[in-house]
């Protein structure tokens, strides 16, 4: 899961980034509100963590601008313990959740997963397509109940495809969702990971849509 982190406090920011990475998130960290608004506008993030007190552009204005542009990426705001009016203003501006500093990293990770689930109309903890079940909390993938070993990048790819089941995603869209900044992405990286995934999953799980991209199909309603 690719997360945008907007926090101007160096110590807190680096702690959050390290902690979220440990929880399996891909984290891009910006330190001011203007950069946060620009990055959110790309739509490349599944979810964002936003400090409200940011230089250059206030966190509330970041939220307002983002929502005004029609970007619906879920946003969790970080606020100080006594900042009740700021929290209310954040939620009213279009934030989806908040946490009070200091933040418990496990709680933050769980809330981010819940926000992503909600944004994708996914009511339960696990994603399921046919015999394949993916658990975002434990990062485990099973096929017919049997654990399957998938690498980190393969897991992120499968997670992205399953979250968007029924939607064809292009190679570029998958790259944006799966790679954080600073990663050299070779031109056939996605194809290679898909190839590896296919050897581990039932044959028809990931379909290639020629000239467009890849899709996993929603399970048919019973
Ligand atoms: Ca701040």
């Amino acid at each position: 899961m690719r997360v945008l982190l907007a926090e101007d406090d160096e110590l807190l920011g680096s702690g959050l980034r390290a902690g979220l990475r440990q929880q399996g998130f891909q984290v891009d960290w910006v330190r001011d509100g203007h950069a946060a608004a620009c990055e959110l506008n790309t739509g490349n993030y599944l979810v964002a963590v936003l400090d409200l007190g940011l230089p250059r552009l206030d966190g509330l204005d970041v939220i307002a601008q983002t929502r005004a542009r029609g970007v619906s990426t879920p946003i969790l705001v970080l606020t100080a313990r006594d900042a009740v009016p700021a929290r209310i203003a954040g939620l009213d501006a279009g934030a989806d959740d908040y946490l009070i500093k200091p933040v418990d990293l496990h709680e933050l990770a769980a809330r981010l997963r819940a926000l992503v689930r909600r944004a994708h109309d996914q009511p339960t903890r696990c994603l399921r397509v046919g015999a394949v079940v993916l658990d975002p909390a434990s990062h485990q993938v099973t096929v017919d109940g049997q654990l399957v070993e998938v690498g980190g990048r393969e897991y992120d790819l499968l997670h992205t495809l399953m979250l968007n089941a029924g939607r064809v995603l292009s190679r570029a869209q998958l790259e944006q969702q799966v790679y954080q900044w600073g990663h050299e992405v070779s031109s056939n990286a996605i194809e290679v990971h898909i190839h590896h995934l296919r050897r581990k999953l039932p044959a028809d799980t990931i379909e290639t849509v020629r000239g467009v991209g890849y899709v996993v199909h929603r399970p048919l309603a019973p």
Side-chain angles (χ1 to χ4, degrees), residues 74-90:
I75 298 173
L76 181 146
V77 297
L78 301 176
T79 66
R81 179 161 301 281
D82 53 357
V84 177
R87 284 204 287 283
I88 295 169

Side-chain angles (χ1 to χ4, degrees), residues 58-129:
D58 186 74
L60 286 177
D61 294 327
V62 174
I63 300 169
Q65 282 190 15
T66 301
R67 296 303 183 234
R69 289 195 195 106
V71 177
S72 58
T73 306
I75 298 173
L76 181 146
V77 297
L78 301 176
T79 66
R81 179 161 301 281
D82 53 357
V84 177
R87 284 204 287 283
I88 295 169
L91 292 169
D92 278 342
D96 300 272
D97 198 2
Y98 68 84
L99 267 182
I100 296 164
K101 300 180 197 181
V103 169
D104 179 281
L105 276 162
H106 291 96
E107 182 179 10
L108 175 60
R111 281 176 185 261
L112 295 180
R113 286 193 294 267
L115 286 175
V116 169
R117 273 206 307 272
R118 239 184 282 157
H120 289 81
D121 288 326
Q122 174 69 34
T124 54
R125 163 173 159 163
C126 293
L127 298 165
R128 174 185 286 275
V129 170

Side-chain angles (χ1 to χ4, degrees), residues 153-172:
R153 208 68 78 186
E154 292 169 22
Y155 172 89
D156 282 340
L157 256 183
L158 184 63
H159 187 207
T160 303
L161 285 165
M162 287 178 79
L163 267 178
N164 294 284
R167 268 185 64 200
V168 181
L169 299 178
S170 68
R171 196 177 75 189

Side-chain angles (χ1 to χ4, degrees), residues 7-9 51-55 101:
E7 171 59 70
D8 60 318
D9 183 302
D51 176 33
L52 283 187
L54 289 171
K101 300 180 197 181

